[in-house]
Amino acid sequence: MTTLADVPRSTDRRVRVWFGEHVIADYTAEPAKALQYQAGMTRRFASLRITIEPVAPLRSPDAEDR
């Protein structure tokens, strides 16, 4: 049996730390852990932009384009 580890779920959140237009940290986790990570990065990098957004749902390669 094969399982896919670290596959983002649609409920997960993506946290990114930005230095100008460059992403210097990218973290995806369940909402509670993502908020903890965001808080830690905000304390550590107070002058940088930090975003948190929902993970886009994964599409099957067989899905139709509509």
Side-chain angles (χ1 to χ4, degrees):
M1 179 174 164
T2 303
T3 59
L4 298 175
D6 300 321
V7 174
R9 295 177 302 261
S10 61
T11 58
D12 286 350
R13 300 291 180 260
R14 184 175 190 181
V15 181
R16 292 190 221 172
V17 180
W18 298 83
F19 184 76
E21 63 185 51
H22 304 282
V23 175
I24 62 169
D26 191 353
Y27 179 75
T28 302
E30 65 184 44
K33 288 184 180 181
L35 286 172
Q36 288 177 335
Y37 184 81
Q38 180 192 31
M41 292 295 104
T42 299
R43 285 190 298 274
R44 182 167 184 158
F45 300 108
S47 64
L48 299 183
R49 181 170 57 112
I50 299 170
T51 60
I52 186 168
E53 56 197 30
V55 172
L58 294 177
R59 291 188 56 178
S60 168
D62 299 330
E64 288 185 31
D65 289 331
R66 295 179 191 203

